[in-house]
Short mmCIF file of all heavy atoms in Angstrom, two decimals:
data_model
loop_
_atom_site.label_atom_id
_atom_site.label_comp_id
_atom_site.label_asym_id
_atom_site.label_seq_id
_atom_site.Cartn_x
_atom_site.Cartn_y
_atom_site.Cartn_z
N MET A 1 17.56 -6.53 -37.27
CA MET A 1 18.20 -5.24 -37.03
C MET A 1 17.16 -4.25 -36.41
O MET A 1 17.47 -3.50 -35.52
CB MET A 1 18.77 -4.73 -38.30
CG MET A 1 19.56 -3.45 -38.18
SD MET A 1 21.13 -3.83 -37.26
CE MET A 1 22.12 -2.48 -37.74
N VAL A 2 15.95 -4.29 -37.00
CA VAL A 2 14.86 -3.42 -36.51
C VAL A 2 14.44 -3.78 -35.08
O VAL A 2 14.24 -2.92 -34.26
CB VAL A 2 13.63 -3.43 -37.50
CG1 VAL A 2 12.50 -2.69 -36.93
CG2 VAL A 2 14.05 -2.96 -38.82
N LYS A 3 14.56 -5.07 -34.73
CA LYS A 3 14.23 -5.58 -33.47
C LYS A 3 15.16 -4.99 -32.48
O LYS A 3 14.76 -4.65 -31.34
CB LYS A 3 14.18 -7.07 -33.46
CG LYS A 3 13.65 -7.66 -32.21
CD LYS A 3 13.78 -9.21 -32.25
CE LYS A 3 12.45 -9.80 -32.21
NZ LYS A 3 12.42 -11.26 -32.19
N ALA A 4 16.44 -4.93 -32.78
CA ALA A 4 17.43 -4.33 -31.86
C ALA A 4 17.12 -2.91 -31.57
O ALA A 4 17.27 -2.48 -30.43
CB ALA A 4 18.82 -4.57 -32.41
N PHE A 5 16.82 -2.10 -32.60
CA PHE A 5 16.44 -0.70 -32.40
C PHE A 5 15.27 -0.56 -31.50
O PHE A 5 15.18 0.32 -30.73
CB PHE A 5 16.26 -0.03 -33.78
CG PHE A 5 17.60 0.22 -34.47
CD1 PHE A 5 17.67 -0.14 -35.80
CD2 PHE A 5 18.61 0.89 -33.93
CE1 PHE A 5 18.91 0.00 -36.47
CE2 PHE A 5 19.76 1.08 -34.63
CZ PHE A 5 19.95 0.62 -35.92
N ARG A 6 14.26 -1.40 -31.73
CA ARG A 6 13.04 -1.34 -30.90
C ARG A 6 13.35 -1.58 -29.37
O ARG A 6 12.88 -0.96 -28.56
CB ARG A 6 12.05 -2.32 -31.34
CG ARG A 6 11.31 -1.87 -32.64
CD ARG A 6 10.27 -2.88 -33.09
NE ARG A 6 9.61 -2.39 -34.31
CZ ARG A 6 8.78 -3.19 -34.97
NH1 ARG A 6 8.38 -4.30 -34.52
NH2 ARG A 6 8.23 -2.71 -36.15
N ARG A 7 14.25 -2.64 -29.22
CA ARG A 7 14.65 -2.87 -27.81
C ARG A 7 15.39 -1.83 -27.16
O ARG A 7 15.17 -1.50 -25.93
CB ARG A 7 15.41 -4.30 -27.74
CG ARG A 7 14.53 -5.47 -28.06
CD ARG A 7 15.18 -6.71 -27.86
NE ARG A 7 14.32 -7.86 -28.11
CZ ARG A 7 14.62 -9.08 -27.98
NH1 ARG A 7 15.91 -9.42 -27.69
NH2 ARG A 7 13.79 -10.05 -28.25
N ILE A 8 16.30 -1.26 -27.90
CA ILE A 8 17.10 -0.13 -27.36
C ILE A 8 16.16 1.04 -27.04
O ILE A 8 16.32 1.76 -26.03
CB ILE A 8 18.25 0.27 -28.33
CG1 ILE A 8 19.30 -0.83 -28.37
CG2 ILE A 8 18.85 1.59 -28.01
CD1 ILE A 8 20.27 -0.65 -29.52
N PHE A 9 15.22 1.39 -28.01
CA PHE A 9 14.31 2.44 -27.81
C PHE A 9 13.44 2.18 -26.55
O PHE A 9 13.18 3.08 -25.82
CB PHE A 9 13.42 2.58 -29.04
CG PHE A 9 12.35 3.71 -28.91
CD1 PHE A 9 12.78 5.04 -28.93
CD2 PHE A 9 11.05 3.43 -28.75
CE1 PHE A 9 11.92 6.07 -28.85
CE2 PHE A 9 10.17 4.38 -28.64
CZ PHE A 9 10.52 5.76 -28.66
N ALA A 10 13.05 0.96 -26.38
CA ALA A 10 12.19 0.62 -25.29
C ALA A 10 12.95 0.73 -24.00
O ALA A 10 12.53 1.19 -22.93
CB ALA A 10 11.65 -0.81 -25.41
N ALA A 11 14.25 0.32 -24.03
CA ALA A 11 15.03 0.38 -22.75
C ALA A 11 15.36 1.86 -22.41
O ALA A 11 15.23 2.26 -21.25
CB ALA A 11 16.42 -0.27 -22.99
N VAL A 12 15.53 2.70 -23.40
CA VAL A 12 15.76 4.19 -23.15
C VAL A 12 14.47 4.75 -22.58
O VAL A 12 14.50 5.64 -21.73
CB VAL A 12 16.19 4.85 -24.40
CG1 VAL A 12 16.14 6.44 -24.26
CG2 VAL A 12 17.63 4.38 -24.79
N THR A 13 13.29 4.44 -23.17
CA THR A 13 12.03 4.94 -22.70
C THR A 13 11.74 4.54 -21.26
O THR A 13 11.41 5.37 -20.46
CB THR A 13 10.86 4.42 -23.61
OG1 THR A 13 11.17 4.73 -24.96
CG2 THR A 13 9.55 4.96 -23.21
N VAL A 14 12.03 3.27 -20.93
CA VAL A 14 11.84 2.87 -19.54
C VAL A 14 12.74 3.59 -18.52
O VAL A 14 12.40 4.01 -17.59
CB VAL A 14 11.99 1.38 -19.43
CG1 VAL A 14 12.13 0.87 -17.93
CG2 VAL A 14 10.86 0.60 -20.18
N ALA A 15 13.97 3.83 -19.04
CA ALA A 15 15.01 4.51 -18.15
C ALA A 15 14.55 5.96 -17.95
O ALA A 15 14.62 6.46 -16.88
CB ALA A 15 16.39 4.41 -18.85
N VAL A 16 14.03 6.61 -18.94
CA VAL A 16 13.60 7.99 -18.81
C VAL A 16 12.36 8.03 -17.94
O VAL A 16 12.35 8.92 -17.09
CB VAL A 16 13.29 8.60 -20.21
CG1 VAL A 16 12.46 9.92 -20.10
CG2 VAL A 16 14.55 8.81 -21.02
N LEU A 17 11.39 7.15 -18.08
CA LEU A 17 10.27 7.11 -17.27
C LEU A 17 10.68 6.83 -15.79
O LEU A 17 10.06 7.48 -14.90
CB LEU A 17 9.21 6.06 -17.81
CG LEU A 17 8.52 6.48 -19.11
CD1 LEU A 17 7.65 5.36 -19.51
CD2 LEU A 17 7.78 7.77 -18.88
N ALA A 18 11.45 5.92 -15.53
CA ALA A 18 11.97 5.61 -14.26
C ALA A 18 12.66 6.92 -13.56
O ALA A 18 12.47 7.20 -12.42
CB ALA A 18 12.95 4.43 -14.22
N PHE A 19 13.47 7.54 -14.39
CA PHE A 19 14.17 8.73 -13.87
C PHE A 19 13.12 9.83 -13.50
O PHE A 19 13.26 10.44 -12.43
CB PHE A 19 15.09 9.30 -14.96
CG PHE A 19 15.93 10.45 -14.50
CD1 PHE A 19 16.98 10.31 -13.68
CD2 PHE A 19 15.63 11.68 -14.99
CE1 PHE A 19 17.72 11.41 -13.19
CE2 PHE A 19 16.30 12.83 -14.57
CZ PHE A 19 17.34 12.68 -13.69
N ARG A 20 12.17 10.04 -14.34
CA ARG A 20 11.12 10.94 -14.06
C ARG A 20 10.32 10.61 -12.78
O ARG A 20 9.93 11.48 -11.97
CB ARG A 20 10.19 11.16 -15.20
CG ARG A 20 10.82 11.85 -16.35
CD ARG A 20 9.86 12.18 -17.52
NE ARG A 20 8.76 13.00 -17.09
CZ ARG A 20 7.67 13.25 -17.78
NH1 ARG A 20 7.48 12.57 -18.96
NH2 ARG A 20 6.72 13.99 -17.32
N ALA A 21 10.05 9.33 -12.67
CA ALA A 21 9.28 8.95 -11.49
C ALA A 21 10.07 9.13 -10.27
O ALA A 21 9.45 9.56 -9.24
CB ALA A 21 8.84 7.41 -11.66
N VAL A 22 11.32 8.80 -10.14
CA VAL A 22 12.17 9.05 -9.00
C VAL A 22 12.29 10.50 -8.63
O VAL A 22 12.09 10.90 -7.59
CB VAL A 22 13.56 8.38 -9.18
CG1 VAL A 22 14.45 8.84 -8.10
CG2 VAL A 22 13.41 6.84 -9.22
N GLY A 23 12.42 11.28 -9.68
CA GLY A 23 12.51 12.82 -9.52
C GLY A 23 11.18 13.26 -8.92
O GLY A 23 11.19 14.20 -8.09
N SER A 24 10.05 12.84 -9.48
CA SER A 24 8.71 13.27 -8.94
C SER A 24 8.54 12.84 -7.49
O SER A 24 8.04 13.65 -6.74
CB SER A 24 7.64 12.62 -9.84
OG SER A 24 6.45 12.99 -9.30
N PHE A 25 8.94 11.62 -7.16
CA PHE A 25 8.84 11.09 -5.81
C PHE A 25 9.71 11.95 -4.86
O PHE A 25 9.23 12.32 -3.81
CB PHE A 25 9.19 9.62 -5.74
CG PHE A 25 9.09 9.11 -4.36
CD1 PHE A 25 7.90 8.94 -3.70
CD2 PHE A 25 10.28 8.79 -3.67
CE1 PHE A 25 7.82 8.35 -2.52
CE2 PHE A 25 10.22 8.21 -2.41
CZ PHE A 25 9.02 8.04 -1.79
N LEU A 26 10.86 12.24 -5.23
CA LEU A 26 11.79 13.00 -4.42
C LEU A 26 11.26 14.44 -4.19
O LEU A 26 11.37 15.02 -3.15
CB LEU A 26 13.22 12.96 -4.89
CG LEU A 26 13.93 11.62 -4.87
CD1 LEU A 26 15.29 11.78 -5.51
CD2 LEU A 26 14.03 11.16 -3.45
N SER A 27 10.74 15.00 -5.21
CA SER A 27 10.14 16.34 -5.12
C SER A 27 8.89 16.24 -4.24
O SER A 27 8.75 17.22 -3.37
CB SER A 27 9.68 16.80 -6.56
OG SER A 27 8.96 17.98 -6.45
N TRP A 28 8.15 15.21 -4.27
CA TRP A 28 7.01 15.14 -3.38
C TRP A 28 7.45 14.90 -1.88
O TRP A 28 6.90 15.63 -1.01
CB TRP A 28 6.14 13.83 -3.73
CG TRP A 28 5.00 13.65 -2.88
CD1 TRP A 28 3.78 14.33 -2.82
CD2 TRP A 28 4.96 12.65 -1.82
NE1 TRP A 28 2.92 13.79 -1.88
CE2 TRP A 28 3.69 12.78 -1.23
CE3 TRP A 28 5.76 11.68 -1.31
CZ2 TRP A 28 3.22 11.93 -0.21
CZ3 TRP A 28 5.34 10.89 -0.28
CH2 TRP A 28 4.09 11.01 0.22
N ILE A 29 8.51 14.17 -1.69
CA ILE A 29 9.01 14.07 -0.29
C ILE A 29 9.61 15.38 0.22
O ILE A 29 9.27 15.77 1.32
CB ILE A 29 10.23 13.00 -0.29
CG1 ILE A 29 9.70 11.64 -0.52
CG2 ILE A 29 10.97 13.02 0.98
CD1 ILE A 29 8.87 11.03 0.50
N GLU A 30 10.22 16.15 -0.64
CA GLU A 30 10.73 17.44 -0.23
C GLU A 30 9.57 18.42 0.14
O GLU A 30 9.59 19.19 1.02
CB GLU A 30 11.62 18.04 -1.32
CG GLU A 30 12.24 19.37 -0.98
CD GLU A 30 13.18 19.84 -2.13
OE1 GLU A 30 13.87 18.99 -2.74
OE2 GLU A 30 13.14 21.09 -2.26
N HIS A 31 8.49 18.32 -0.68
CA HIS A 31 7.31 19.17 -0.40
C HIS A 31 6.68 18.81 0.84
O HIS A 31 6.20 19.62 1.65
CB HIS A 31 6.36 19.05 -1.59
CG HIS A 31 5.07 19.82 -1.39
ND1 HIS A 31 5.05 21.17 -1.34
CD2 HIS A 31 3.84 19.37 -1.05
CE1 HIS A 31 3.82 21.61 -1.13
NE2 HIS A 31 3.04 20.52 -0.94
N GLN A 32 6.65 17.48 1.18
CA GLN A 32 6.02 17.02 2.45
C GLN A 32 6.77 17.54 3.72
O GLN A 32 6.21 17.82 4.67
CB GLN A 32 5.99 15.48 2.54
CG GLN A 32 5.04 14.90 1.46
CD GLN A 32 3.63 15.33 1.71
OE1 GLN A 32 3.06 15.38 2.77
NE2 GLN A 32 2.96 15.69 0.59
N GLU A 33 8.14 17.62 3.58
CA GLU A 33 9.00 18.09 4.66
C GLU A 33 8.78 19.62 4.92
O GLU A 33 8.88 20.07 6.04
CB GLU A 33 10.48 17.84 4.40
CG GLU A 33 10.74 16.38 4.41
CD GLU A 33 12.26 16.03 4.07
OE1 GLU A 33 12.95 17.05 3.62
OE2 GLU A 33 12.65 14.94 4.11
N ASP A 34 8.36 20.36 3.91
CA ASP A 34 8.15 21.85 3.98
C ASP A 34 6.88 22.15 4.62
O ASP A 34 6.71 23.22 5.30
CB ASP A 34 8.26 22.47 2.61
CG ASP A 34 9.68 22.41 2.10
OD1 ASP A 34 10.62 22.20 2.84
OD2 ASP A 34 9.91 22.56 0.87
N THR A 35 5.86 21.28 4.58
CA THR A 35 4.57 21.58 5.06
C THR A 35 4.46 21.29 6.52
O THR A 35 5.22 20.54 7.12
CB THR A 35 3.46 20.78 4.35
OG1 THR A 35 3.70 19.38 4.58
CG2 THR A 35 3.39 21.08 2.89
N THR A 36 3.63 22.12 7.18
CA THR A 36 3.46 21.86 8.68
C THR A 36 2.61 20.65 8.92
O THR A 36 1.78 20.24 8.12
CB THR A 36 2.78 23.11 9.36
OG1 THR A 36 1.52 23.28 8.70
CG2 THR A 36 3.61 24.31 9.09
N ALA A 37 2.81 20.02 10.04
CA ALA A 37 2.21 18.79 10.39
C ALA A 37 1.00 19.07 11.39
O ALA A 37 0.61 18.19 12.16
CB ALA A 37 3.13 17.78 11.00
N ASN A 38 0.38 20.25 11.31
CA ASN A 38 -0.70 20.58 12.18
C ASN A 38 -1.90 19.71 11.99
O ASN A 38 -2.77 19.55 12.87
CB ASN A 38 -1.06 22.04 12.06
CG ASN A 38 0.02 22.91 12.66
OD1 ASN A 38 0.83 22.51 13.42
ND2 ASN A 38 0.06 24.13 12.12
N ALA A 39 -2.07 19.17 10.80
CA ALA A 39 -3.25 18.40 10.56
C ALA A 39 -3.28 17.11 11.35
O ALA A 39 -4.35 16.53 11.52
CB ALA A 39 -3.35 18.06 8.98
N TRP A 40 -2.15 16.69 11.80
CA TRP A 40 -2.02 15.36 12.52
C TRP A 40 -2.16 15.58 14.05
O TRP A 40 -2.11 14.61 14.77
CB TRP A 40 -0.81 14.63 12.24
CG TRP A 40 -0.72 14.32 10.76
CD1 TRP A 40 0.02 15.00 9.77
CD2 TRP A 40 -1.46 13.37 10.07
NE1 TRP A 40 -0.15 14.45 8.54
CE2 TRP A 40 -1.08 13.43 8.66
CE3 TRP A 40 -2.36 12.39 10.38
CZ2 TRP A 40 -1.59 12.59 7.73
CZ3 TRP A 40 -2.92 11.49 9.47
CH2 TRP A 40 -2.42 11.62 8.11
N ILE A 41 -2.28 16.81 14.55
CA ILE A 41 -2.31 17.04 15.93
C ILE A 41 -3.76 17.03 16.38
O ILE A 41 -4.52 17.69 15.88
CB ILE A 41 -1.71 18.37 16.30
CG1 ILE A 41 -0.22 18.43 15.97
CG2 ILE A 41 -1.81 18.76 17.71
CD1 ILE A 41 0.53 19.75 16.10
N ASP A 42 -4.06 16.22 17.38
CA ASP A 42 -5.33 16.19 18.00
C ASP A 42 -5.41 17.21 19.09
O ASP A 42 -4.91 17.11 20.19
CB ASP A 42 -5.64 14.78 18.59
CG ASP A 42 -7.03 14.61 19.01
OD1 ASP A 42 -7.84 15.47 18.74
OD2 ASP A 42 -7.32 13.57 19.69
N GLU A 43 -6.17 18.29 18.81
CA GLU A 43 -6.24 19.41 19.69
C GLU A 43 -6.98 19.06 20.99
O GLU A 43 -6.80 19.69 22.01
CB GLU A 43 -6.88 20.65 19.05
CG GLU A 43 -6.03 21.12 17.85
CD GLU A 43 -6.68 22.32 17.12
OE1 GLU A 43 -7.83 22.72 17.58
OE2 GLU A 43 -6.15 22.86 16.19
N ASP A 44 -7.93 18.12 20.94
CA ASP A 44 -8.60 17.80 22.18
C ASP A 44 -7.62 17.14 23.25
O ASP A 44 -7.88 17.38 24.42
CB ASP A 44 -9.68 16.72 21.84
CG ASP A 44 -10.80 17.34 21.03
OD1 ASP A 44 -10.93 18.53 21.08
OD2 ASP A 44 -11.45 16.58 20.28
N GLU A 45 -6.60 16.46 22.91
CA GLU A 45 -5.68 15.96 23.84
C GLU A 45 -4.96 17.04 24.58
O GLU A 45 -4.69 17.04 25.71
CB GLU A 45 -4.53 15.07 23.12
CG GLU A 45 -5.13 13.79 22.53
CD GLU A 45 -4.03 12.96 21.89
OE1 GLU A 45 -2.85 13.31 22.19
OE2 GLU A 45 -4.37 12.07 21.22
N PHE A 46 -4.61 18.18 23.95
CA PHE A 46 -3.94 19.31 24.54
C PHE A 46 -4.80 20.13 25.48
O PHE A 46 -4.46 20.67 26.42
CB PHE A 46 -3.28 20.20 23.49
CG PHE A 46 -2.13 19.52 22.75
CD1 PHE A 46 -2.22 19.15 21.47
CD2 PHE A 46 -0.94 19.18 23.42
CE1 PHE A 46 -1.27 18.45 20.74
CE2 PHE A 46 0.04 18.55 22.71
CZ PHE A 46 -0.12 18.15 21.39
N GLU A 47 -6.17 20.12 25.19
CA GLU A 47 -7.09 20.86 26.00
C GLU A 47 -7.30 20.15 27.31
O GLU A 47 -7.55 20.81 28.35
CB GLU A 47 -8.32 21.00 25.28
CG GLU A 47 -8.35 21.95 24.03
CD GLU A 47 -9.64 22.07 23.32
OE1 GLU A 47 -10.62 21.35 23.70
OE2 GLU A 47 -9.65 22.71 22.23
N ASP A 48 -7.19 18.86 27.37
CA ASP A 48 -7.37 18.06 28.59
C ASP A 48 -6.16 18.24 29.55
O ASP A 48 -6.38 18.11 30.72
CB ASP A 48 -7.64 16.66 28.30
CG ASP A 48 -9.02 16.38 27.53
OD1 ASP A 48 -9.85 17.28 27.61
OD2 ASP A 48 -9.15 15.32 26.80
N ALA A 49 -5.10 18.50 28.98
CA ALA A 49 -3.82 18.55 29.85
C ALA A 49 -3.73 19.70 30.73
O ALA A 49 -4.30 20.71 30.57
CB ALA A 49 -2.61 18.46 28.94
#
């Protein structure tokens, strides 16, 4: 009986951690879309043109 409760508790814990991880990842993706991409622009290429 105790083993069943431990397994249920472990399953709930894993589900909560997975939910938090997905939420954190989606928040990070949303933050990446808001920032400007100027860091990836090579300014020397534009000076030559």
Side-chain angles (χ1 to χ4, degrees):
M1 190 68 160
V2 174
K3 190 182 242 184
F5 286 126
R6 286 184 182 172
R7 288 187 179 182
I8 291 171
F9 179 73
V12 169
T13 302
V14 169
V16 168
L17 289 176
F19 183 76
R20 288 184 63 192
V22 169
S24 177
F25 178 72
L26 291 176
S27 175
W28 178 77
I29 291 291
E30 184 176 322
H31 177 70
Q32 294 298 316
E33 291 175 353
D34 291 342
T35 59
T36 58
N38 292 337
W40 299 104
I41 296 173
D42 188 8
E43 293 178 4
D44 293 335
E45 289 182 16
F46 293 111
E47 290 177 3
D48 294 339

